[in-house]
Amino acid sequence: MTGQMSFAECWAALARIGREPVGGGYHRFAWTPTDRSLRSWFRDQAARRDLSLEADRNGNLWAWWGDPGAGAVVTGSHLDSVPGGGAFDGPLGVVSSFYAIDEMRRRGVTPSRPIAVVDFADEEGARFGVACMGSRLMTGILAPDRARALRDADGTSLGDAMTAAGVDAAAIGRDDQALDRIGTFVELHVEQGRSLVDLGAAVGVASAIWPHGRWRCSFTGEPNHAGTTRLGDRRDPMLPFAAAVLAAREFAESNDAVATIGKVVVDPGAVNGIASRVDAWLDTRAPDDATVQTVLSGVTDAAERAADRHGVTVEVVQESYTPEVAFADDLRDRVSRLLDAAPQLPTGAGHDAGILSAFVPSTMLFVRNPTGISHSPAEHAEIDDCLAGVTALATVLTDLSIR
Ligand code: GLV
Ligand code: MN
Ligand code: MN
């Protein structure tokens, strides 16, 4: 009835899936063959523990200990990654959830509520642009028509990608049945910073998630020859794009926020040609919504002014927005007390727990990351800290499930 393999062995098996051949990062995009392998891994882990497996209407996977039903204590995270991502962001929460169930069984716990491990689909939004897709669809925050129409870099729609992966894309959308069963949601996650290192603690509890959003900034100019086009005749979209990158940094600095342009697509992308179009994605986060808007306005104004100067048009479209999440005080404090006054910390990273917190009591545990780095192969957690996370999660799930 245990996982039959140790945490470290299970981790090593999962670590083989979706690893990039060069650089040691992970490329685990939603609804790809790699994603299918990750889902098979999840099914196998559920089967090893006699947990019943269920896929909901939005492609999220659930492994149930006990009959699925109301008041369930749900734990889990996601298995997908950003391009060049680390091994821990997402998978640590899923693996730890399975091992927390093993630990509860070892302790002889008899839950009086059903317990489920969930693997939320497409949390990073790396392929179709909108993060937390599985939880946004389930809660109805994202309209199914809009989701189905999102396209990846090759022009494949999310609807078609889901259909190809065997999910009925016509049925996606708000899923009250799945949502209403969740009594409490607990997500364990690797810390994406160094607060726990500084505090000397292996495990912490999330207090809040900064509001954050993604905007696509599209600059359209005129393609032309790099050698023969006089500077004064050019309509080069790269110039206002560059102004936007610099403005993002400047306005983030002056507003105690963060702003990043980490993805850019240049068309047609010739060394000896002026680009016709540049698409750049702005990610902005701050302690409050007003500051996010201030940074966004600053970047937009700077981009528009530069676009005007260079005969380029610019369009800024919001792709997703998540308002501030303040996790419920009573649950957060209870969890912290259960874990010997585990420290409470806010984060600038988005999570499915943040989406769910507007609908059901939700909480998060963070596990120390000695590098503090995330969305990179350098993301890390020591095995002893991972095991401390499992122990902590088992304690929290036990408390919530015997109430
Ligand atoms: C997800 O990791 C995000 O914060 O974008
Ligand atoms: Mn992430
Ligand atoms: Mn994550």
Side-chain angles (χ1 to χ4, degrees), residues 335-396:
V335 168
S336 172
R337 268 198 310 276
L338 274 171
L339 304 178
D340 299 327
Q344 303 186 5
L345 32 136
T347 177
H351 300 285
D352 293 305
I355 301 295
L356 287 185
S357 69
F359 299 84
V360 294
S362 302
T363 187
M364 290 191 76
L365 303 185
F366 290 131
V367 171
R368 175 164 53 194
N369 173 352
T371 67
I373 293 174
S374 188
H375 287 183
S376 148
E379 184 180 273
H380 189 65
E382 297 293 347
I383 183 71
D384 284 352
D385 286 352
C386 295
L387 297 178
V390 170
T391 303
L393 184 58
T395 298
V396 172

Side-chain angles (χ1 to χ4, degrees), residues 89 123-124 192 375:
D89 177 355
E123 191 270 352
E124 298 288 4
Q192 296 166 291
H375 287 183

Side-chain angles (χ1 to χ4, degrees), residues 152-376:
D152 69 7
D154 296 329
T156 304
S157 70
L158 175 67
D160 287 348
M162 288 181 108
T163 305
V167 177
D168 179 5
I172 64 172
R174 185 175 165 111
D175 187 346
D176 286 321
Q177 204 195 353
L179 190 56
D180 289 349
R181 297 183 306 204
I182 308 176
T184 315
F185 180 58
V186 186
E187 180 169 0
L188 178 145
H189 205 279
V190 69
E191 197 203 343
Q192 296 166 291
R194 286 178 51 87
S195 299
L196 291 173
V197 174
D198 294 345
L199 291 163
V203 177
V205 182
S207 56
I209 298 180
W210 278 16
H212 54 281
R214 295 178 181 187
W215 290 265
R216 178 174 48 74
C217 310
S218 298
F219 303 90
T220 307
E222 183 180 58
N224 211 331
H225 196 288
T228 59
T229 317
R230 290 179 303 186
L231 293 182
D233 293 339
R234 295 180 182 213
R235 293 172 49 216
D236 186 350
M238 208 54 104
L239 298 169
F241 156 68
V245 174
L246 296 176
R249 174 68 186 222
E250 182 192 320
F251 282 92
E253 264 175 358
S254 55
N255 288 282
D256 291 327
V258 289
T260 309
I261 294 184
K263 176 178 172 181
V264 56
V265 175
V266 179
D267 183 69
V271 178
N272 53 356
I274 297 161
S276 72
R277 176 178 166 125
V278 176
D279 286 302
W281 282 263
L282 172 70
D283 177 309
T284 299
R285 311 180 189 214
D288 55 79
D289 296 291
T291 308
V292 174
Q293 289 308 320
T294 302
V295 174
L296 174 66
S297 306
V299 176
T300 305
D301 288 352
E304 284 173 351
R305 272 198 312 276
D308 234 28
R309 224 171 25 251
H310 295 286
V312 169
T313 60
V314 57
E315 182 192 41
V316 178
V317 177
Q318 181 179 296
E319 293 202 332
S320 65
Y321 191 77
T322 308
E324 183 186 0
V325 173
F327 288 109
D329 297 6
D330 48 348
L331 179 59
R332 183 198 63 205
D333 292 346
R334 182 186 185 93
V335 168
S336 172
R337 268 198 310 276
L338 274 171
L339 304 178
D340 299 327
Q344 303 186 5
L345 32 136
T347 177
H351 300 285
D352 293 305
I355 301 295
L356 287 185
S357 69
F359 299 84
V360 294
S362 302
T363 187
M364 290 191 76
L365 303 185
F366 290 131
V367 171
R368 175 164 53 194
N369 173 352
T371 67
I373 293 174
S374 188
H375 287 183
S376 148

